[in-house]
Amino acid sequence: MSTNPAAAAGTRYKWDVNIIGADVRAGNTYASFTKSALLHQPESYVRNRDYFLDTSASRKQYGWGIGEIMMPSVLYSIDERQSVAFTWRIRGVGNAGNVETPVANFFGIDFPNPRYTGRNYNIDYASVAGQSWNEFGFSYARVIKDDGENRWKAGVTIKYLSGIAAGYGAVDDATFVMNTRRDATISRGTLRVGYSEAVDNWEKPDYKNFKLFGNPGVGLDLGVIYEWRPDGGDGFADYDADAWNPDASTYKLRIGASVTDIGGIFYKKAPASSDVDLTIDHISPDSLKYKKNEGWQRYYRRVRDYFTPVPTYDGFFMATPAAVHLSGDYNIDGRFFISANAVVGLLTGTKDDSKNYVVTQLQVTPHFDIRNFGAYLPLVINRFGQANAGIGLRAGPLVIGSASIITNLFRSTINRADGFIALRVPLIRLKGGESRGGRYGNQLKQVSCPPN
């Protein structure tokens, strides 16, 4: 339901309750790390021993991270056609990139490196952005048409967003040269930086900053699903015949489309954040280096003071990672399925500094599903040509897996990884009670969580 609110319509059960869940993904295109360095972190990482850089690439370099914790959430089926739901998620996302590989090498290989003196470098646009927020979603979904063979569903989720922290930085139209090991010239360029007041007032331990109602914002998800049921649904995935609405997931083919995370959050800038004109005739490259144990805020303020401030707004609107989701699921024999899901990030351009986005990717997943068990084999390729294979398992109320674990087991170095886990309400049977059509009937017979 988090990627298509229409999935809430016409479910098999009267109630669907999530206890807790987590989903984390991170990766980049430039640096890869040995497994030993990740599992047993050294005091300092040594290039070409602990990590390796993609120094010869002709494309631009990117990095990303996204994570969420699904808090207690509930779906309630009003009847066989319509449902409502409340979801609560704590989410965080970060992106960086659009950096040409020669520029990445200039700063990434022993900066300031004398081998790069006398060369002109350009940054058309490079940025980093991230934010974390609470998200409270209120969903309504219904079956809008069902003639037995063809079933259409539609859904909407309206979201109240509560920003925890956010920030961005972007370099625009910059040209520079390192004249000598101790002298550099920046001919032009602008650095735009903004981060929320909460960043300067961050408390320890970290959980104290996760306030439920902070910077307000709104969001919206819209979705539609079509299901083809050539024999009225009989014989397709009906492995839970005693459910409250047993034929709800009986289909031969399911196709879905949705747009998620339309919206964003407005933040007031911390007083220390500002934009600067980077133009300067002579500056020591050493002064731009990050010093050990300096802290990024102290580093930013120190570097900012070398340049000329320019007027800027005292607030910013951070967009949430809007995306289009296209999905299909083919039911082979009621137990074996094959699905395909495409995610297209909508905010991957260079027109707005304060935005987050998801990485565009295509995933194909053969899977086996019966009542209390499921096994999944996700095969993924993203917009950067990175291919992954993983595994997922569902055992009763527990779902766990990773879309990259198989790939990473066979790779000597790692530059991307992910994992997910969820615990949902187990099957509950109410003994006794009245027969179908009585005061309660089968409407309260079970509480369970079917696979999506």
Side-chain angles (χ1 to χ4, degrees):
M1 194 179 75
S2 62
T3 59
N4 192 330
T11 63
R12 291 196 301 272
Y13 298 96
K14 191 69 175 177
W15 293 90
D16 188 353
V17 181
N18 180 84
I19 300 174
I20 194 73
D23 184 5
V24 179
R25 288 162 278 163
N28 80 101
T29 60
Y30 187 54
S32 59
F33 297 83
T34 63
K35 298 173 187 177
S36 60
L38 293 174
L39 295 174
H40 307 284
Q41 297 184 12
E43 290 187 7
S44 61
Y45 285 90
V46 177
R47 185 168 56 90
N48 295 332
R49 186 195 71 185
D50 303 312
Y51 71 96
F52 302 85
L53 301 179
D54 185 18
T55 59
S56 61
S58 59
R59 52 173 169 74
K60 295 179 179 180
Q61 304 291 353
Y62 293 86
W64 61 91
I66 187 167
E68 69 173 57
I69 299 174
M70 176 68 82
M71 303 299 285
S73 305
V74 61
L75 178 148
Y76 172 72
S77 296
I78 299 172
D79 53 36
E80 288 89 344
R81 299 178 65 89
Q82 56 185 336
S83 302
V84 292
F86 167 77
T87 56
W88 173 21
R89 295 191 287 172
I90 300 174
R91 302 178 63 187
V93 61
N95 308 99
N98 203 52
V99 179
E100 299 283 356
T101 299
V103 175
N105 293 341
F106 177 83
F107 289 104
I109 302 177
D110 303 325
F111 175 80
N113 192 330
R115 65 185 280 195
Y116 296 119
T117 58
R119 303 184 192 180
N120 286 307
Y121 292 92
N122 298 288
I123 301 177
D124 294 329
Y125 180 86
S127 66
V128 58
Q131 72 169 325
S132 58
W133 70 99
N134 280 289
E135 178 178 294
F136 304 96
F138 303 89
S139 303
Y140 174 75
R142 68 172 294 131
V143 177
I144 56 177
K145 182 180 179 180
D146 188 351
D147 61 13
E149 182 173 345
N150 304 284
R151 179 161 54 192
W152 289 87
K153 304 176 181 181
V156 59
T157 300
I158 299 173
K159 300 186 286 190
Y160 172 79
L161 312 177
S162 173
I164 298 170
Y168 67 89
V171 175
D172 189 28
D173 192 26
T175 299
F176 57 93
V177 60
M178 187 166 67
N179 304 310
T180 69
R181 171 69 174 70
R182 302 185 183 281
D183 180 77
T185 298
I186 304 177
S187 302
R188 66 175 186 269
T190 303
L191 171 65
R192 294 187 292 274
V193 174
Y195 59 89
S196 62
E197 292 180 307
V199 176
D200 276 344
N201 301 316
W202 199 256
E203 300 180 54
K204 294 292 184 179
D206 291 337
Y207 71 83
K208 290 185 177 181
N209 302 279
F210 289 81
K211 300 176 174 63
L212 290 181
F213 303 101
N215 304 282
V218 293
L220 181 69
D221 297 346
L222 298 169
V224 62
I225 289 175
Y226 166 74
E227 294 174 351
W228 178 48
R229 310 165 74 214
D231 59 357
D234 294 340
F236 298 120
D238 196 6
Y239 54 80
D240 206 359
D242 59 348
W244 170 72
N245 187 15
D247 71 339
S249 294
T250 56
Y251 59 86
K252 186 65 175 177
L253 176 67
R254 171 186 282 172
I255 299 173
S258 63
V259 183
T260 61
D261 289 320
I262 304 168
I265 302 169
F266 183 83
Y267 296 89
K268 186 176 181 180
K269 284 184 180 178
S273 64
S274 64
D275 301 346
V276 297
D277 183 345
L278 295 173
T279 304
I280 191 169
D281 286 334
H282 299 285
I283 188 171
S284 170
D286 278 321
S287 66
L288 301 179
K289 289 181 64 175
Y290 181 86
K291 299 178 181 179
K292 188 176 181 180
N293 301 321
E294 184 174 24
W296 75 264
Q297 288 161 292
R298 180 178 296 179
Y299 168 73
Y300 162 68
R301 292 170 187 172
R302 177 173 61 81
V303 171
R304 176 200 62 189
D305 292 340
Y306 296 140
F307 303 101
T308 304
V310 296
T312 183
Y313 296 107
D314 62 358
F316 62 96
F317 179 83
M318 181 67 79
T320 46
V324 170
H325 302 261
L326 304 173
S327 64
D329 193 23
Y330 181 73
N331 183 343
I332 299 171
D333 67 356
R335 297 172 301 167
F336 292 95
F337 301 74
I338 185 166
S339 64
N341 299 275
V343 181
V344 181
L346 296 180
L347 301 177
T348 59
T350 61
K351 293 184 179 180
D352 186 7
D353 303 329
S354 52
K355 65 182 185 304
N356 294 125
Y357 58 88
V358 296
V359 175
T360 297
Q361 68 174 35
L362 173 65
Q363 176 174 315
V364 177
T365 308
H367 55 108
F368 173 81
D369 269 309
I370 57 176
R371 180 169 181 170
N372 290 313
F373 178 78
Y376 312 85
L377 182 65
L379 307 170
V380 185
I381 186 167
N382 64 25
R383 58 174 286 205
F384 307 115
Q386 296 175 331
N388 293 318
I391 190 168
L393 296 172
R394 175 178 58 83
L398 179 66
V399 181
I400 189 169
S402 165
S404 60
I405 189 169
I406 294 178
T407 306
N408 286 335
L409 283 175
F410 291 96
R411 299 180 70 222
S412 58
T413 60
I414 297 174
N415 64 353
R416 57 196 184 273
D418 72 285
F420 56 87
I421 186 170
L423 181 63
R424 310 177 79 173
V425 168
L427 184 68
I428 298 176
R429 296 181 181 274
L430 301 181
K431 297 181 180 180
E434 301 179 21
S435 62
R436 177 182 291 272
R439 182 178 178 185
Y440 298 104
N442 282 347
Q443 291 188 357
L444 297 180
K445 186 175 182 181
Q446 300 183 52
V447 177
S448 182
C449 281
N452 291 326

